[in-house]
Amino acid sequence: MADFHAIQLAVETLYAYDSQSGQLRRSADGGETWMTGAEEPMNDLAGDRARVFVTTPQGLKVSGNGGMEFEDMANAPLLSHVESPVEDVLIGPGPDGRIHTSRDGGKSWQDGGKLPGPVTAFTAVDVQRLLAATEDGTVMESKDGGKNFAVAFRPANG
């Protein structure tokens, strides 16, 4: 039995983090069968055709062998979440809400706009459209790759 806390489709491979075992899992058949990968504490994951990326308390890590082993990405900023909407593009917020983007597979990074605080969920619909949920349930949207954000949804005060 598994408890998937992060799940991501990367081309034809489905990756998931099993919070019960602390391991990455991958499926090449739409989730019918799963292979167990490395044990790595992670918050979020993203993948492209050749690699899988995970955010960890120690920093961003990358695997070129389907998640069997991970290595540190030395130049990467600390990220709470990561997305790879197209090959070689990585986007994610730092713990302070600052958006960081790499357009060369993580070799170099540019700082973008800043969200009003830590993010609990993050997705890149594409390179320009980003959505982030903050701790109070507010959903913020960027239409310019994370330079600027506007409120897309604010929960009613209970």
Side-chain angles (χ1 to χ4, degrees):
M1 186 162 186
D3 183 10
F4 293 150
H5 277 219
I7 192 161
Q8 185 73 44
L9 179 63
V11 187
E12 297 173 358
T13 303
L14 195 58
Y15 291 100
Y17 174 62
D18 179 1
S19 66
Q20 288 185 340
S21 69
Q23 294 176 300
L24 184 78
R25 305 252 180 144
R26 76 172 187 268
S27 174
D29 59 9
E32 292 293 320
T33 59
W34 292 89
M35 293 184 63
T36 301
E39 186 173 337
E40 190 71 55
M42 64 186 77
N43 183 53
D44 196 22
L45 57 96
D48 63 19
R49 190 169 306 282
R51 299 162 298 180
V52 60
F53 305 89
V54 297
T55 60
T56 75
Q58 294 76 37
L60 190 63
K61 296 188 178 195
V62 62
S63 173
N65 61 5
M68 298 304 290
E69 301 168 311
F70 285 91
E71 61 185 51
D72 294 336
M73 292 189 70
N75 295 329
L78 184 62
L79 302 175
S80 62
H81 297 77
V82 67
E83 288 288 319
S84 182
V86 296
E87 194 82 18
D88 285 333
V89 173
L90 298 169
I91 304 172
D96 64 352
R98 172 77 58 198
I99 300 297
H100 304 278
T101 303
S102 174
R103 298 187 183 282
D104 58 11
K107 294 176 188 153
S108 65
W109 294 84
Q110 298 77 43
D111 288 348
K114 190 168 189 277
L115 291 155
V119 172
T120 58
F122 180 80
T123 192
V125 178
D126 55 41
V127 175
Q128 294 299 309
R129 186 166 181 230
L130 311 177
L131 297 167
T134 60
E135 291 177 328
D136 68 356
T138 300
V139 177
M140 305 294 292
E141 179 181 29
S142 174
K143 295 182 180 178
D144 60 8
K147 293 177 188 138
N148 299 289
F149 283 86
V151 174
F153 171 81
R154 188 177 315 274
N157 292 336

